[in-house]
Amino acid sequence: MLEQKRIRKNKPKRQKKDRKSANGGKSGMLSVFLYTGVILFMSLLFILGYDIITQGRMFAAKEIVVIGNHQLSREKVLKLAGIAPGVNIFAVNLGVARKRLLSDGWVAEARVGRDIPDRLVVRIREHEPLALLDLGEKYIMSREGTVIKRWEKTDPFKLPLVTGLTYSDLPLQGGTWNESFASLMRVLKVAGTEEGALSLARLERIDVDQGLGITLYASGPVKSARIGFENYDEKFKRVDRLLASLGRSPSDPAMEIMELESDNRIVAGPF
């Protein structure tokens, strides 16, 4: 009899536990549905807000400013960046537009920004052309030593032609310069700061030879000068001192300087 009474007393407890489990399960499901509904509602609000911002006429670009372009036209810069007149300023992906601009050989640096509510600003810095590289085909090289683009006859600037280098002499992006290329860049740097007989404006050709070094060909009082590999700044000054000491006039025939390697002599002719 005692066992039967215990069994009867336990039955109601099991039913209560079962009810609690059922209620807890229903409550959990309701919570999941509630959270899911809130998330979906918030997502919908964000999507609607994004559409309003990126498609609304309020933020249409009334002004697009392009700064720093010299070789590239304004139209070319905007086409590269993927920016059209009247575009919503928030619809422009600034990072993508910058990468598109940097894909052009002329562009060294680029930045695209917004001026809320209706202005876009595109700033670029172009590579400055320094010389032409003859590698079988001619390429324009910048002051940083990078290849900008293939040279075309319509390109408006006059640049000295570099011969004697090969594709293997060109540095990889961010790489180091080999001796031949480093010597060329040192010569161009010195020539760019000089105003004498071998100034950058007078240079017509620069020949780079791994054995003989560098030979310059110019217009003016010096027709050619073999200057080797080192001490270019001093050698340029020695040429100008020689011309000054000889008192040469513009009507005199141009000199050919065959040897400038020694510190105490110059071999030159004709006089």
Side-chain angles (χ1 to χ4, degrees):
M1 294 295 291
L2 290 174
E3 291 181 359
Q4 290 178 355
K5 287 181 181 179
R6 286 175 186 165
I7 292 173
R8 289 194 190 108
K9 288 180 181 178
N10 289 338
K11 280 182 180 180
K13 291 182 179 179
R14 288 199 189 99
Q15 289 175 355
K16 288 182 181 180
K17 288 183 179 179
D18 291 342
R19 289 196 193 100
K20 289 181 180 179
S21 299
N23 292 334
K26 290 178 181 178
S27 175
M29 291 295 291
L30 288 173
S31 298
V32 170
F33 283 125
L34 179 62
Y35 290 140
T36 303
V38 171
I39 291 172
L40 290 174
F41 179 73
M42 295 300 295
S43 299
L44 181 61
L45 284 180
F46 285 130
I47 292 171
L48 290 174
Y50 177 81
D51 288 342
I52 290 171
I53 291 173
T54 59
Q55 298 177 22
R57 297 176 61 84
M58 181 188 302
F59 300 109
K62 294 180 181 178
E63 184 181 9
I64 303 175
V65 179
V66 177
I67 301 171
N69 60 310
H70 302 287
Q71 304 301 330
L72 297 176
S73 67
R74 169 187 168 85
E75 291 73 21
K76 177 67 173 178
V77 171
L78 294 180
K79 184 177 180 181
L80 281 170
I83 297 174
V87 67
N88 186 296
I89 64 173
F90 288 103
V92 177
N93 187 314
L94 304 184
V96 171
R98 177 178 178 274
K99 288 180 180 178
R100 287 171 58 102
L101 287 166
L102 292 172
S103 68
D104 188 276
W106 278 112
V107 181
E109 297 176 3
R111 186 173 60 183
V112 183
R114 304 183 185 98
D115 283 346
I116 298 171
D118 54 14
R119 189 170 183 259
L120 287 171
V121 180
V122 180
R123 300 176 186 271
I124 66 171
R125 181 178 70 81
E126 294 179 339
H127 285 293
E128 188 175 350
L130 180 62
L132 291 181
L133 297 177
D134 189 347
L135 304 171
E137 290 186 281
K138 295 176 183 177
Y139 296 89
I140 300 175
M141 184 183 73
S142 74
R143 289 190 176 274
E144 292 85 4
T146 59
V147 173
I148 298 174
K149 63 182 283 286
R150 185 181 284 108
W151 176 78
E152 300 174 19
K153 292 182 179 179
T154 55
D155 287 323
F157 23 75
K158 179 181 178 294
L159 301 170
L161 180 65
V162 177
T163 59
L165 294 179
T166 65
Y167 285 102
S168 62
D169 292 312
L170 302 183
L172 298 175
Q173 187 172 9
T176 57
W177 297 346
N178 65 19
E179 182 57 34
S180 296
F181 195 84
S183 297
L184 167 67
M185 296 304 293
R186 289 196 296 270
V187 167
L188 287 169
K189 181 178 179 180
V190 174
T193 59
E194 288 288 327
E195 296 182 356
L198 298 177
S199 66
L200 190 61
R202 291 183 179 275
L203 291 183
E204 296 180 344
R205 181 160 66 93
I206 304 171
D207 184 68
V208 183
D209 186 286
Q210 293 186 0
L212 297 175
I214 289 180
T215 302
L216 304 178
Y217 298 86
S219 60
V222 175
K223 182 178 180 181
S224 65
R226 185 184 300 168
I227 60 175
F229 283 114
E230 298 294 340
N231 302 321
Y232 297 128
D233 187 64
E234 173 59 26
K235 289 174 182 177
F236 274 56
K237 288 179 170 57
R238 287 172 62 197
V239 169
D240 290 334
R241 287 198 296 267
L242 171 64
L243 293 173
S245 66
L246 293 174
R248 295 178 67 79
S249 67
S251 61
D252 292 333
M255 296 175 55
E256 293 187 29
I257 300 177
M258 283 78 74
E259 203 276 316
L260 198 63
E261 287 296 296
S262 174
D263 291 336
N264 53 19
R265 68 171 186 168
I266 297 177
V267 178
F271 291 92

Short mmCIF file of all heavy atoms in Angstrom, two decimals, residues 222-264:
data_model
loop_
_atom_site.label_atom_id
_atom_site.label_comp_id
_atom_site.label_asym_id
_atom_site.label_seq_id
_atom_site.Cartn_x
_atom_site.Cartn_y
_atom_site.Cartn_z
N VAL A 222 80.00 70.98 -76.35
CA VAL A 222 80.54 69.63 -76.20
C VAL A 222 79.65 68.65 -76.97
O VAL A 222 78.45 68.56 -76.71
CB VAL A 222 80.61 69.22 -74.71
CG1 VAL A 222 81.05 67.76 -74.58
CG2 VAL A 222 81.58 70.11 -73.96
N LYS A 223 80.26 67.96 -77.93
CA LYS A 223 79.51 67.01 -78.75
C LYS A 223 79.33 65.68 -78.04
O LYS A 223 78.26 65.05 -78.09
CB LYS A 223 80.23 66.80 -80.08
CG LYS A 223 79.51 65.87 -81.04
CD LYS A 223 80.28 65.76 -82.36
CE LYS A 223 79.56 64.82 -83.33
NZ LYS A 223 80.33 64.71 -84.59
N SER A 224 80.37 65.23 -77.36
CA SER A 224 80.30 63.98 -76.61
C SER A 224 81.29 64.02 -75.46
O SER A 224 82.28 64.76 -75.50
CB SER A 224 80.59 62.77 -77.52
OG SER A 224 81.93 62.82 -77.99
N ALA A 225 81.02 63.19 -74.44
CA ALA A 225 81.92 63.12 -73.28
C ALA A 225 81.78 61.75 -72.65
O ALA A 225 80.68 61.34 -72.28
CB ALA A 225 81.58 64.22 -72.28
N ARG A 226 82.92 61.07 -72.55
CA ARG A 226 82.94 59.77 -71.87
C ARG A 226 83.26 60.04 -70.40
O ARG A 226 84.36 60.46 -70.06
CB ARG A 226 83.98 58.84 -72.49
CG ARG A 226 83.97 57.43 -71.92
CD ARG A 226 85.08 56.59 -72.52
NE ARG A 226 84.93 56.48 -73.96
CZ ARG A 226 85.88 56.00 -74.78
NH1 ARG A 226 87.06 55.64 -74.29
NH2 ARG A 226 85.66 55.91 -76.07
N ILE A 227 82.30 59.73 -69.52
CA ILE A 227 82.45 60.13 -68.11
C ILE A 227 82.51 58.93 -67.16
O ILE A 227 82.56 59.12 -65.94
CB ILE A 227 81.32 61.08 -67.68
CG1 ILE A 227 79.95 60.42 -67.85
CG2 ILE A 227 81.38 62.38 -68.48
CD1 ILE A 227 78.81 61.25 -67.32
N GLY A 228 82.52 57.72 -67.67
CA GLY A 228 82.74 56.55 -66.84
C GLY A 228 81.59 56.25 -65.88
O GLY A 228 80.43 56.37 -66.23
N PHE A 229 81.96 55.89 -64.63
CA PHE A 229 80.96 55.42 -63.67
C PHE A 229 80.82 56.27 -62.41
O PHE A 229 79.81 56.22 -61.73
CB PHE A 229 81.29 53.99 -63.23
CG PHE A 229 80.92 52.94 -64.24
CD1 PHE A 229 81.91 52.21 -64.86
CD2 PHE A 229 79.60 52.70 -64.57
CE1 PHE A 229 81.57 51.23 -65.79
CE2 PHE A 229 79.26 51.73 -65.49
CZ PHE A 229 80.25 50.99 -66.10
N GLU A 230 81.83 57.04 -62.05
CA GLU A 230 81.80 57.69 -60.73
C GLU A 230 82.09 59.20 -60.83
O GLU A 230 82.52 59.70 -61.87
CB GLU A 230 82.84 57.04 -59.81
CG GLU A 230 82.61 55.57 -59.53
CD GLU A 230 81.35 55.29 -58.73
OE1 GLU A 230 80.85 56.23 -58.07
OE2 GLU A 230 80.86 54.16 -58.76
N ASN A 231 81.87 59.90 -59.69
CA ASN A 231 82.23 61.31 -59.50
C ASN A 231 81.66 62.21 -60.59
O ASN A 231 82.34 63.10 -61.12
CB ASN A 231 83.76 61.46 -59.46
CG ASN A 231 84.39 60.63 -58.36
OD1 ASN A 231 83.85 60.52 -57.26
ND2 ASN A 231 85.53 60.02 -58.66
N TYR A 232 80.40 62.02 -60.90
CA TYR A 232 79.81 62.76 -62.02
C TYR A 232 79.72 64.25 -61.74
O TYR A 232 79.94 65.07 -62.64
CB TYR A 232 78.41 62.20 -62.34
CG TYR A 232 78.44 60.76 -62.80
CD1 TYR A 232 77.64 59.80 -62.21
CD2 TYR A 232 79.29 60.37 -63.83
CE1 TYR A 232 77.67 58.48 -62.62
CE2 TYR A 232 79.33 59.05 -64.26
CZ TYR A 232 78.51 58.11 -63.65
OH TYR A 232 78.56 56.81 -64.07
N ASP A 233 79.40 64.62 -60.53
CA ASP A 233 79.27 66.04 -60.21
C ASP A 233 80.57 66.78 -60.49
O ASP A 233 80.57 67.84 -61.12
CB ASP A 233 78.86 66.19 -58.75
CG ASP A 233 78.55 67.62 -58.39
OD1 ASP A 233 77.59 68.17 -58.96
OD2 ASP A 233 79.27 68.20 -57.55
N GLU A 234 81.69 66.21 -60.06
CA GLU A 234 82.99 66.84 -60.28
C GLU A 234 83.35 66.85 -61.77
O GLU A 234 83.90 67.84 -62.28
CB GLU A 234 84.06 66.10 -59.47
CG GLU A 234 85.50 66.55 -59.75
CD GLU A 234 85.71 68.04 -59.46
OE1 GLU A 234 84.97 68.61 -58.63
OE2 GLU A 234 86.62 68.63 -60.07
N LYS A 235 83.05 65.79 -62.48
CA LYS A 235 83.39 65.72 -63.91
C LYS A 235 82.60 66.75 -64.73
O LYS A 235 83.14 67.36 -65.65
CB LYS A 235 83.12 64.31 -64.44
CG LYS A 235 84.12 63.29 -63.92
CD LYS A 235 83.75 61.87 -64.32
CE LYS A 235 84.75 60.88 -63.74
NZ LYS A 235 84.41 59.48 -64.05
N PHE A 236 81.35 66.97 -64.39
CA PHE A 236 80.57 68.00 -65.09
C PHE A 236 81.21 69.36 -64.88
O PHE A 236 81.31 70.17 -65.81
CB PHE A 236 79.14 68.01 -64.56
CG PHE A 236 78.22 67.02 -65.23
CD1 PHE A 236 78.52 65.68 -65.26
CD2 PHE A 236 77.05 67.46 -65.83
CE1 PHE A 236 77.67 64.77 -65.87
CE2 PHE A 236 76.18 66.56 -66.45
CZ PHE A 236 76.50 65.21 -66.47
N LYS A 237 81.64 69.63 -63.66
CA LYS A 237 82.25 70.93 -63.35
C LYS A 237 83.59 71.08 -64.06
O LYS A 237 83.95 72.19 -64.52
CB LYS A 237 82.44 71.09 -61.84
CG LYS A 237 81.13 71.31 -61.08
CD LYS A 237 81.37 71.42 -59.60
CE LYS A 237 80.12 71.88 -58.85
NZ LYS A 237 78.95 71.02 -59.05
N ARG A 238 84.36 70.00 -64.18
CA ARG A 238 85.66 70.06 -64.87
C ARG A 238 85.48 70.40 -66.34
O ARG A 238 86.28 71.15 -66.92
CB ARG A 238 86.40 68.73 -64.70
CG ARG A 238 86.95 68.50 -63.29
CD ARG A 238 87.48 67.11 -63.14
NE ARG A 238 88.60 66.85 -64.04
CZ ARG A 238 89.05 65.64 -64.35
NH1 ARG A 238 88.45 64.57 -63.83
NH2 ARG A 238 90.08 65.49 -65.15
N VAL A 239 84.45 69.86 -66.96
CA VAL A 239 84.19 70.18 -68.37
C VAL A 239 83.90 71.67 -68.51
O VAL A 239 84.42 72.35 -69.42
CB VAL A 239 83.00 69.35 -68.89
CG1 VAL A 239 82.53 69.85 -70.26
CG2 VAL A 239 83.39 67.89 -69.00
N ASP A 240 83.07 72.22 -67.62
CA ASP A 240 82.74 73.64 -67.71
C ASP A 240 83.97 74.50 -67.43
O ASP A 240 84.15 75.56 -68.06
CB ASP A 240 81.62 73.98 -66.72
CG ASP A 240 80.28 73.38 -67.14
OD1 ASP A 240 80.09 73.15 -68.35
OD2 ASP A 240 79.44 73.13 -66.25
N ARG A 241 84.84 74.08 -66.51
CA ARG A 241 86.06 74.85 -66.23
C ARG A 241 86.98 74.82 -67.45
O ARG A 241 87.62 75.83 -67.77
CB ARG A 241 86.77 74.27 -65.01
CG ARG A 241 86.08 74.57 -63.69
CD ARG A 241 87.01 74.39 -62.50
NE ARG A 241 87.45 73.01 -62.36
CZ ARG A 241 86.84 72.10 -61.59
NH1 ARG A 241 85.74 72.45 -60.90
NH2 ARG A 241 87.30 70.88 -61.49
N LEU A 242 87.06 73.67 -68.12
CA LEU A 242 87.90 73.56 -69.32
C LEU A 242 87.40 74.53 -70.40
O LEU A 242 88.20 75.26 -71.01
CB LEU A 242 87.87 72.13 -69.84
CG LEU A 242 88.54 71.90 -71.21
CD1 LEU A 242 90.04 72.19 -71.13
CD2 LEU A 242 88.29 70.49 -71.72
N LEU A 243 86.10 74.53 -70.64
CA LEU A 243 85.55 75.42 -71.66
C LEU A 243 85.80 76.88 -71.31
O LEU A 243 86.13 77.70 -72.19
CB LEU A 243 84.05 75.16 -71.80
CG LEU A 243 83.64 73.79 -72.36
CD1 LEU A 243 82.13 73.62 -72.29
CD2 LEU A 243 84.13 73.61 -73.80
N ALA A 244 85.65 77.21 -70.03
CA ALA A 244 85.89 78.60 -69.60
C ALA A 244 87.35 78.99 -69.79
O ALA A 244 87.65 80.11 -70.22
CB ALA A 244 85.46 78.77 -68.14
N SER A 245 88.28 78.08 -69.49
CA SER A 245 89.71 78.39 -69.61
C SER A 245 90.14 78.53 -71.07
O SER A 245 91.06 79.29 -71.38
CB SER A 245 90.55 77.30 -68.93
OG SER A 245 90.41 76.06 -69.62
N LEU A 246 89.45 77.82 -71.97
CA LEU A 246 89.78 77.91 -73.39
C LEU A 246 89.13 79.11 -74.05
O LEU A 246 89.52 79.49 -75.16
CB LEU A 246 89.34 76.63 -74.12
CG LEU A 246 90.08 75.35 -73.73
CD1 LEU A 246 89.44 74.14 -74.42
CD2 LEU A 246 91.56 75.45 -74.10
N GLY A 247 88.16 79.69 -73.39
CA GLY A 247 87.49 80.86 -73.94
C GLY A 247 86.80 80.59 -75.25
O GLY A 247 86.82 81.41 -76.16
N ARG A 248 86.14 79.46 -75.36
CA ARG A 248 85.51 79.08 -76.63
C ARG A 248 84.23 79.88 -76.87
O ARG A 248 83.48 80.18 -75.95
CB ARG A 248 85.20 77.58 -76.63
CG ARG A 248 86.47 76.72 -76.57
CD ARG A 248 86.14 75.24 -76.52
NE ARG A 248 85.53 74.76 -77.74
CZ ARG A 248 86.18 74.47 -78.87
NH1 ARG A 248 87.51 74.63 -78.92
NH2 ARG A 248 85.55 74.04 -79.95
N SER A 249 84.00 80.21 -78.13
CA SER A 249 82.80 80.96 -78.52
C SER A 249 81.79 80.00 -79.15
O SER A 249 82.13 78.88 -79.54
CB SER A 249 83.17 82.04 -79.53
OG SER A 249 83.59 81.45 -80.77
N PRO A 250 80.53 80.42 -79.26
CA PRO A 250 79.51 79.55 -79.85
C PRO A 250 79.80 79.12 -81.28
O PRO A 250 79.30 78.10 -81.75
CB PRO A 250 78.25 80.42 -79.78
CG PRO A 250 78.50 81.38 -78.67
CD PRO A 250 79.97 81.66 -78.72
N SER A 251 80.64 79.90 -81.99
CA SER A 251 80.95 79.55 -83.38
C SER A 251 82.04 78.49 -83.50
O SER A 251 82.25 77.94 -84.59
CB SER A 251 81.37 80.82 -84.14
OG SER A 251 82.53 81.38 -83.54
N ASP A 252 82.75 78.20 -82.42
CA ASP A 252 83.81 77.19 -82.46
C ASP A 252 83.18 75.80 -82.62
O ASP A 252 82.07 75.55 -82.14
CB ASP A 252 84.64 77.23 -81.18
CG ASP A 252 85.45 78.51 -81.07
OD1 ASP A 252 85.79 79.08 -82.13
OD2 ASP A 252 85.72 78.94 -79.93
N PRO A 253 83.89 74.87 -83.29
CA PRO A 253 83.36 73.50 -83.43
C PRO A 253 83.22 72.82 -82.08
O PRO A 253 84.01 73.08 -81.16
CB PRO A 253 84.39 72.81 -84.31
CG PRO A 253 85.65 73.60 -84.14
CD PRO A 253 85.20 75.02 -83.94
N ALA A 254 82.23 71.95 -81.97
CA ALA A 254 81.99 71.26 -80.70
C ALA A 254 83.13 70.31 -80.38
O ALA A 254 83.73 69.69 -81.26
CB ALA A 254 80.68 70.49 -80.78
N MET A 255 83.43 70.18 -79.11
CA MET A 255 84.51 69.31 -78.64
C MET A 255 84.00 67.90 -78.40
O MET A 255 82.84 67.68 -78.07
CB MET A 255 85.10 69.85 -77.32
CG MET A 255 85.76 71.19 -77.44
SD MET A 255 86.27 71.79 -75.80
CE MET A 255 87.27 70.44 -75.22
N GLU A 256 84.92 66.96 -78.57
CA GLU A 256 84.67 65.58 -78.17
C GLU A 256 85.64 65.25 -77.03
O GLU A 256 86.86 65.32 -77.21
CB GLU A 256 84.87 64.62 -79.33
CG GLU A 256 83.85 64.79 -80.45
CD GLU A 256 83.99 63.72 -81.51
OE1 GLU A 256 84.44 62.61 -81.18
OE2 GLU A 256 83.65 64.00 -82.68
N ILE A 257 85.10 64.91 -75.89
CA ILE A 257 85.93 64.59 -74.73
C ILE A 257 86.01 63.07 -74.63
O ILE A 257 85.04 62.40 -74.27
CB ILE A 257 85.36 65.21 -73.45
CG1 ILE A 257 85.30 66.74 -73.61
CG2 ILE A 257 86.18 64.81 -72.23
CD1 ILE A 257 84.69 67.46 -72.44
N MET A 258 87.18 62.54 -74.97
CA MET A 258 87.33 61.09 -75.05
C MET A 258 87.66 60.44 -73.71
O MET A 258 87.39 59.25 -73.51
CB MET A 258 88.41 60.72 -76.07
CG MET A 258 87.94 60.82 -77.53
SD MET A 258 87.90 62.54 -78.13
CE MET A 258 89.66 62.88 -78.34
N GLU A 259 88.25 61.20 -72.80
CA GLU A 259 88.67 60.59 -71.54
C GLU A 259 88.57 61.61 -70.43
O GLU A 259 89.11 62.71 -70.54
CB GLU A 259 90.10 60.07 -71.66
CG GLU A 259 90.45 58.97 -70.66
CD GLU A 259 90.87 59.55 -69.31
OE1 GLU A 259 91.64 60.51 -69.31
OE2 GLU A 259 90.41 59.03 -68.27
N LEU A 260 87.85 61.25 -69.39
CA LEU A 260 87.64 62.15 -68.27
C LEU A 260 87.81 61.39 -66.95
O LEU A 260 87.43 61.87 -65.90
CB LEU A 260 86.24 62.77 -68.37
CG LEU A 260 85.92 64.03 -67.57
CD1 LEU A 260 86.80 65.20 -68.02
CD2 LEU A 260 84.45 64.40 -67.73
N GLU A 261 88.38 60.21 -67.04
CA GLU A 261 88.48 59.36 -65.85
C GLU A 261 89.57 59.82 -64.90
O GLU A 261 89.41 59.77 -63.69
CB GLU A 261 88.75 57.91 -66.27
CG GLU A 261 87.55 57.22 -66.91
CD GLU A 261 86.41 57.08 -65.92
OE1 GLU A 261 86.56 56.38 -64.91
OE2 GLU A 261 85.35 57.70 -66.15
N SER A 262 90.68 60.29 -65.43
CA SER A 262 91.79 60.70 -64.58
C SER A 262 91.43 61.98 -63.83
O SER A 262 90.69 62.84 -64.33
CB SER A 262 93.05 60.92 -65.43
OG SER A 262 94.09 61.45 -64.63
N ASP A 263 91.99 62.11 -62.63
CA ASP A 263 91.71 63.29 -61.81
C ASP A 263 92.51 64.50 -62.25
O ASP A 263 92.22 65.62 -61.84
CB ASP A 263 92.02 62.99 -60.33
CG ASP A 263 91.03 61.99 -59.74
OD1 ASP A 263 89.90 61.90 -60.27
OD2 ASP A 263 91.39 61.32 -58.76
N ASN A 264 93.55 64.32 -63.05
CA ASN A 264 94.43 65.46 -63.38
C ASN A 264 94.57 65.71 -64.87
O ASN A 264 95.45 66.47 -65.30
CB ASN A 264 95.84 65.26 -62.79
CG ASN A 264 96.43 63.91 -63.18
OD1 ASN A 264 95.98 63.28 -64.13
ND2 ASN A 264 97.44 63.48 -62.44
#
